[in-house]
Amino acid sequence: MMKLTRRNAMLSAGAFASAAILPQRSFSDVISANEKVNVAWCGVGNRGPRIIENFERSGIANFVAFCDVDPENKHINATKEKFPKARIFQDWRKMLDEMDKDIDAVVVLVPDHSHFPISMAAMAAGKPVYTEKPLARTFQEIELLMAAEKKYKVATQMGNQGHSGDNYFQFDAWLQSGVIQDVTHVDAYMNKWRRWHPWGDVKAMPTGESAPATMDWELWHSATPQHAFSKKFHPGNWRGWYQHGTGCFGDWGAHILDTIHQFLDLGLPEKVSATTLIQPNDLVYPLASTINFQFPERSGMPAMDIDWYDGVENLPPMPEEFAGRTYDAGTPGKFIYGKDTVFQGGSHSTTLEILSKEKRESLEANGLQTSFGKHSDHYENFLRACRGDEQTRSPFSVSGPLSQVLVLGCIAQRLGGELDFDRQSKRFTNSDRANELLADHPRKGWEQYYAL
């Protein structure tokens, strides 16, 4: 197994490796069907303890190590008490090196800008990886993650947990039975307030604060340029910055568009347009945005487009079939316009609703499927894939192209205007600046993670 070293040459920003759906490696020769999976955990702040509980609920996870750049934060201190036998690390590189033989799988629950190197290093070491959404912050990094999945043949899962819920099985069943057909347009929306909205017109990176004494602030940056500490970055505020996060769209698009993207075989768009940008900024995401994505005909399905709406007052248009209902701007979701049928859906595992009462009653009279069985949840699905019992539902080969759509939208939010995209070459055809944003150049000492 090839190890990542600083001697590996860095893959150039334009030389994207191709990614394809791959047969996932069976670990049944390493982990028996009755054994627990030894899990190493990266990132224990904020939502960490809750996601740990979700993995723990499966009954087949054994937590052997926890890693956080601040190993004395309140979340990891509580985790230490709960799992006293687990080893604690500050640097994930040291954890992977020292515990290689004791780790069966790695969970990556860190800020977006750090997903990539940890996931790449874990896969190169032969470890199955569960990585939060979106897979990475740049198009190139996602492309490399998909290529690494193919090369190293390990089980992978992106953390869009609704992709193992009822909406996943409903969308597949309704598409196969013809309930969903000829979709030509989707309006997707997330209109909740976001942390960076009150910051106004940000002119420069903030300065003047000190990082916690127990925190490795340099390591927190991962492969991105280092800057001064501020509470506007950590904890939790990193998502609003182009350097560190993917904004509202990267955060929520993976929970709202996932089944649409997979089952309608969308792949990559041929045009991305920022039709509305409220308070655009060079450093942080807009206060509100509307982004249009155009997709060509695919697999016998008609060309279609998606409009994404974020911002507290930037609401989508309401379908005629929605008349008389109350729109809840605090609940993210989508309207799907198919042949003779309009559907409303929420986020995560929320099932679709047929808006027309007459259409719904007609389909119900003809045996509309409304029960979709019992299945492992997203966390157990990953752990079972580590043992060779199941295939993951959101492997990088599936979640990677979805994540790439998300980061293309982030580029449109940053630049504005219409961007034409060549689905074959995976390059923009009308913007050199947009092509530059497809990849970042890692800072010194992190180049090796960009080589397969």
Side-chain angles (χ1 to χ4, degrees):
M1 179 74 65
M2 171 184 171
K3 295 289 186 180
L4 287 168
T5 72
R6 295 191 180 187
R7 294 187 298 272
N8 295 144
M10 182 180 75
L11 187 67
S12 68
F16 295 146
S18 62
I21 294 178
L22 60 118
Q24 292 180 8
R25 175 181 174 188
S26 172
F27 285 80
S28 56
D29 58 332
V30 180
I31 310 171
S32 75
N34 295 320
E35 284 185 304
K36 290 188 176 183
V37 180
N38 289 338
V39 177
W41 197 279
C42 297
V44 193
N46 200 12
R47 295 176 65 243
R50 186 173 71 180
I51 306 301
I52 290 170
E53 290 179 358
N54 291 337
F55 272 91
E56 189 180 18
R57 188 172 60 241
S58 71
I60 58 175
N62 179 42
F63 301 100
V64 296
F66 294 96
C67 182
D68 197 280
V69 292
D70 183 357
E72 297 298 330
N73 76 61
K74 64 179 181 179
H75 302 287
I76 200 167
N77 281 334
T79 303
K80 293 176 189 176
E81 294 181 7
K82 188 174 183 179
F83 303 100
K85 294 182 180 180
R87 291 185 63 184
I88 305 299
F89 293 86
Q90 186 170 39
D91 192 323
W92 57 267
R93 296 167 296 187
K94 184 177 181 181
M95 179 184 73
L96 290 179
D97 182 49
E98 293 187 5
M99 295 195 66
D100 178 63
K101 295 181 180 180
D102 301 312
I103 295 172
D104 297 324
V106 177
V107 175
V108 182
L109 206 72
V110 294
D112 293 354
H113 71 269
S114 294
H115 289 182
F116 173 75
I118 304 174
S119 300
M120 286 291 284
M123 285 191 286
K127 312 300 182 186
V129 179
Y130 179 104
T131 302
E132 262 297 340
K133 48 74 199 166
L135 282 188
R137 195 181 53 85
T138 72
F139 192 96
Q140 177 215 24
E141 289 177 340
I142 298 165
E143 195 79 2
L144 289 171
L145 287 172
M146 291 189 289
E149 176 194 51
K150 185 179 181 182
K151 177 183 177 70
Y152 299 120
K153 295 180 173 58
V154 294
T156 62
Q157 183 96 300
M158 185 172 82
N160 53 335
Q161 58 267 34
H163 210 66
S164 288
D166 281 349
N167 178 242
Y168 175 89
F169 297 99
Q170 177 199 38
F171 204 109
D172 188 25
W174 280 15
L175 186 67
Q176 296 300 323
S177 65
V179 176
I180 299 173
Q181 58 178 302
D182 293 344
V183 174
T184 55
H185 181 71
V186 172
D187 284 326
Y189 50 90
M190 212 301 279
N191 302 119
K192 292 182 178 180
W193 176 88
R194 308 301 285 165
R195 296 187 187 194
W196 63 91
H197 286 174
W199 295 352
D201 187 14
V202 178
K203 299 294 186 182
M205 294 289 202
T207 59
E209 299 178 64
S210 298
T214 55
M215 182 182 189
D216 188 335
W217 178 238
E218 187 274 335
L219 178 59
W220 183 89
H221 291 79
S222 216
T224 69
Q226 189 171 352
H227 53 71
F229 175 84
S230 170
K231 290 186 174 65
K232 285 189 174 181
F233 300 116
H234 175 86
N237 286 315
W238 49 266
R239 195 180 302 280
W241 298 86
Y242 291 130
Q243 178 174 331
H244 300 296
T246 51
C248 178
F249 186 46
D251 187 17
W252 281 90
H255 293 310
I256 297 173
L257 297 175
D258 57 327
T259 49
I260 293 169
H261 186 271
Q262 178 175 354
F263 294 120
L264 296 185
D265 193 25
L266 291 183
L268 299 173
E270 56 186 6
K271 183 185 287 288
V272 185
S273 305
T275 59
T276 300
L277 291 178
I278 305 299
Q279 196 174 291
N281 189 273
D282 291 335
L283 295 172
V284 299
Y285 286 91
L287 187 67
S289 62
T290 304
I291 319 167
N292 177 262
F293 300 84
Q294 296 183 20
F295 299 89
E297 294 182 5
R298 313 141 333 270
S299 307
M301 290 180 281
M304 63 169 287
D305 72 329
I306 296 173
D307 280 323
W308 166 266
Y309 298 82
D310 65 44
V312 175
E313 298 181 359
N314 187 34
L315 310 181
M318 298 296 109
E320 293 180 6
E321 293 85 348
F322 200 72
R325 304 189 186 200
T326 301
Y327 172 74
D328 182 3
T331 302
K334 64 251 184 182
F335 296 110
I336 302 172
Y337 294 82
K339 182 181 180 181
D340 303 323
T341 309
V342 180
F343 306 86
Q344 183 185 22
S347 67
H348 294 73
S349 60
T350 306
T351 53
L352 300 176
E353 176 187 355
I354 298 168
L355 288 182
S356 168
K357 179 181 178 182
E358 293 76 13
K359 182 72 173 181
R360 183 173 63 253
E361 290 177 347
S362 174
L363 289 169
E364 288 172 347
N366 286 280
L368 177 68
Q369 184 176 350
T370 56
S371 178
F372 306 98
K374 293 185 177 181
H375 308 273
S376 57
D377 67 18
H378 211 53
Y379 314 100
E380 183 177 349
N381 173 237
F382 170 69
L383 294 171
R384 289 190 175 279
C386 294
R387 303 196 314 191
D389 303 338
E390 296 182 3
Q391 295 288 303
T392 54
R393 302 187 186 102
S394 193
F396 292 178
S397 54
V398 170
S399 53
L402 168 64
S403 295
Q404 288 181 320
V405 172
L406 302 180
V407 299
L408 291 179
C410 292
I411 292 174
Q413 288 175 307
R414 189 169 182 173
L415 299 183
E418 295 185 359
L419 299 171
D420 297 322
F421 193 77
D422 187 319
R423 286 160 48 100
Q424 299 305 313
S425 67
K426 300 183 180 181
R427 304 283 288 176
F428 292 101
T429 60
N430 66 337
S431 174
D432 291 339
R433 176 57 177 151
N435 282 324
E436 291 174 358
L437 294 175
L438 290 172
D440 275 347
H441 295 288
R443 65 190 175 106
K444 187 177 180 180
W446 294 82
E447 303 93 339
Q448 67 270 25
Y449 301 106
Y450 291 77
L452 284 174

